[in-house]
Amino acid sequence: MRTATPPPVAPAGDHHDLAVVLFAVIVLVTLGITFWAGRRRGGGADDFYAGGRDFTPLQNGFALSGDYLSAASFLGVAGLIALFGYDGVLYSIGFLVAWLVVLMLVAELVRNAGRYTLADVLALRLRRRKVRAAAGGASVVVTLFYLVAQMVGAGSLVALLLGTNSAEARTWTIVAVGGLMIVYVTVGGMRATTWIQIVKAFLLVAGSVLLTVLLLVRFHGDVAELMRQAAQHSGAGQRYLEPGLKYGKSFTSRLDFFSLGLALVLGTAGLPHILSRFYTVPTARAARRSTMWAIGLVGGFYLMAIALGLGATALVGSAEVRHANAAGNTAVPLLALVLGGGNGSTGGVVLFAVISAIAFATILAVVAGLTLASSAAFAHDIWAGAWRGRPRRSRGGRGVRGPRGRRALVPASRRARGGADAVTGTAVAERAEDGEPVTTERQEVLVARIAAVGIGAVAIVLSLFAQQLNVAFLVGLAFAVAASANLPVLLYSLFWRRFTPRGAVWSVYGGLIPAVVLVAFSPVVSGTKVALFPGVDFHWFPLENPGLVSIPLGFLAGWIGTLTSPEAADPDRYAELEVRSLTGAGAA
């Protein structure tokens, strides 16, 4: 039987220099990509939000996996496996299964029916400003939850790199990451964000493959021995390899696990930054092929994440992982230090620095995509679509009355007037039918840049309060909100002929408000040692993840709102949406 390697510590003294240099290289490369893309970028919304729609399925597949494989995947999931074994593996399974929902239900349909955001899909048949406002607001909330997770991961990573647990180091790291993500979005837009994601995804997969190969070599390919060593050094013995170490202690914890799994499986299809990726390719077929590439990359990665989590427990030990970071967010860098030769060795320091730099690149790329998605939701949906815009009876992407009184699809080029956005969104230098001026693309993009600054500032502040929470757990909350507020309204709009604007608004708020309220009064915020406010206790909701309650409420609210709506659904508009979503006729 092998014995565990002595517990490692983060590199100290002069060894910090290499890791700091690699971090600096990552920052300079990403900034270089941003300014390069910024020079190529046009001034229109199409380029800022969708990168010109000229990425190939392979490129977008890497970008999709880059958006999805966040700090929660590389740091949080492996950390949960290192601490809780089998129960941590369930996180990775939930993340992977979710992509099947995306592939089968939304990828092609969303690409055909929308233009930039989720609200565009809804607006094709539900032409109400209040629908856009609700969908845009929910998207901003979801992305804020996700942003907090990434920035907490950045703070933990850099604190480990510097060999300190000081709050000051984590705080300045969070502020720096927030500043960088604002630069990425305001300067480079979607084109820069996509290329950063592609580079990051390649580095992440390559780094994971390297660590997995070294780990298997260390155990001579004997996976059974790896699992035995992990159980031995977990502090829990055989229970580490069995269900229930984290979620099986009580009936409440089992309900919490079911709630988490529901949120992970259903939440991906409602994530704004994932949905916006489908608009960066030219056709719906390319969107589906992108999703298939992403499934392959994500599936391979999570298999390696399971091995790395087990390896961290076997070679580092659960106690040392927990000592370095209570939530387990630093398990993979510590494993890299051991696989490279241990603390003080050149190989250990080099591998530790390389993996830490890749993790940092992962965080930078994901926060850029999230910030862009949230700023687009605010500028395109809330500011231009709801506040400044007015509903129009004949806009691009809609049917017009034919000679027999039926609506017929007309090419967008024939309906656009004065350079208007011919699908569902903001018009450009055009007047609405009632004579009121509408927002120009240039104004909208300017507001999106300003919104990126504001959203970045809010994310920084929230992240400072959440530094002790596991990043995978924080992402689980974001998935719960997305599955509660965004998924019900999206599915109802695409598949329910009777769905009405009231049903859409009720569905969004009926899922969003309960999800946020239940989180606020859950053990995540108060009542436990690892809560946001550990010194007080005002929680009354027993579950850490609200999905079990909030997701059904979102669907129920949409159903009740539709049944009680004073106006009936327009069958012509639904027919137009159905034709366009299935065939791509008139799509952007």
Side-chain angles (χ1 to χ4, degrees), residues 362-425:
T362 296
I363 293 168
L364 292 180
V366 173
V367 297
L370 289 166
T371 307
L372 181 60
S374 57
S375 63
F378 179 85
H380 184 64
D381 299 329
I382 298 176
W383 184 79
W387 183 42
R388 293 292 298 273
R390 292 191 60 175
R392 294 186 289 165
R393 294 183 296 278
S394 178
R395 285 191 292 202
R398 299 181 179 181
V400 297
R401 293 288 178 181
R404 297 186 179 180
R406 298 192 177 188
R407 290 180 180 261
L409 289 173
V410 178
S413 60
R414 289 176 54 189
R415 290 189 304 273
R417 295 173 295 154
D421 175 343
V423 183
T424 59

Side-chain angles (χ1 to χ4, degrees), residues 66-91:
D67 249 332
Y68 196 68
L69 297 176
S70 61
S73 302
F74 195 53
L75 302 178
V77 169
L80 286 173
I81 294 172
L83 297 180
F84 302 109
Y86 183 93
D87 285 8
V89 172
L90 296 176
Y91 263 86

Side-chain angles (χ1 to χ4, degrees), residues 105-429:
L105 292 181
V106 302
E108 287 191 38
L109 303 182
V110 166
R111 175 61 187 83
N112 282 335
R115 187 169 182 82
Y116 303 130
T117 64
L118 167 66
D120 285 341
V121 180
L122 308 181
L124 188 59
R125 62 173 295 202
L126 307 170
R127 294 164 187 149
R128 294 291 188 276
R129 285 186 289 175
K130 57 187 178 182
V131 174
R132 273 197 176 275
S139 295
V140 171
V141 173
V142 171
T143 51
L144 273 176
F145 270 106
Y146 220 127
L147 272 173
V148 170
Q150 308 312 310
M151 297 171 74
V152 167
S156 300
L157 183 67
V158 175
L160 175 68
L161 169 69
L162 299 178
T164 177
N165 286 321
S166 71
E168 184 178 0
R170 293 194 298 269
T171 297
W172 282 110
T173 299
I174 289 172
V175 172
V177 170
L180 286 170
M181 75 183 183
I182 291 171
V183 172
Y184 296 148
V185 174
T186 56
V187 175
M190 178 59 84
R191 191 178 299 276
T193 300
T194 300
W195 279 111
I196 291 172
Q197 296 286 12
I198 292 171
V199 172
K200 163 259 177 137
F202 176 80
L203 292 175
L204 184 61
V205 171
S208 300
V209 169
L210 174 62
L211 286 183
T212 303
V213 170
L214 291 176
L215 178 65
L216 293 177
V217 169
R218 182 73 168 256
F219 284 90
H220 306 290
D222 190 345
V223 177
E225 176 64 16
L226 169 62
M227 296 175 67
R228 283 192 292 270
Q229 288 293 317
Q232 180 179 343
H233 299 104
S234 65
Q238 188 62 26
R239 290 190 302 120
Y240 175 83
L241 302 176
E242 299 172 352
L245 189 59
K246 179 174 175 60
Y247 293 110
K249 297 179 181 179
S250 65
F251 178 73
T252 299
S253 65
R254 288 192 287 271
L255 278 181
D256 215 353
F257 161 69
F258 182 76
S259 182
L260 171 66
L262 193 65
L264 293 181
V265 171
L266 298 180
T268 301
L271 291 175
H273 67 297
I274 296 297
L275 295 176
S276 65
R277 279 265 151 242
F278 298 132
Y279 303 124
T280 62
V281 290
T283 64
R285 182 171 180 268
R288 174 173 282 272
R289 290 177 60 195
S290 298
T291 307
M292 295 177 68
W293 275 109
I295 289 176
L297 292 168
V298 170
F301 173 83
Y302 279 122
L303 287 176
M304 292 185 287
I306 294 172
L308 297 181
L310 293 171
T313 308
L315 299 179
V316 180
S318 294
E320 177 61 25
V321 170
R322 187 175 284 107
H323 175 73
N325 181 268
N329 294 330
T330 55
V332 172
L334 289 175
L335 174 63
L337 184 62
V338 175
L339 291 176
N343 184 42
S345 68
T346 301
V349 172
V350 169
L351 193 56
F352 174 89
V354 168
I355 297 303
S356 297
I358 291 175
F360 191 62
T362 296
I363 293 168
L364 292 180
V366 173
V367 297
L370 289 166
T371 307
L372 181 60
S374 57
S375 63
F378 179 85
H380 184 64
D381 299 329
I382 298 176
W383 184 79
W387 183 42
R388 293 292 298 273
R390 292 191 60 175
R392 294 186 289 165
R393 294 183 296 278
S394 178
R395 285 191 292 202
R398 299 181 179 181
V400 297
R401 293 288 178 181
R404 297 186 179 180
R406 298 192 177 188
R407 290 180 180 261
L409 289 173
V410 178
S413 60
R414 289 176 54 189
R415 290 189 304 273
R417 295 173 295 154
D421 175 343
V423 183
T424 59
T426 308
V428 184

Side-chain angles (χ1 to χ4, degrees), residues 445-468:
V445 171
L446 176 61
V447 171
R449 291 195 178 101
I450 296 172
V453 177
I455 290 169
V458 173
I460 290 171
V461 173
L462 293 177
S463 301
L464 297 179
F465 288 98
Q467 295 181 46
Q468 296 304 315

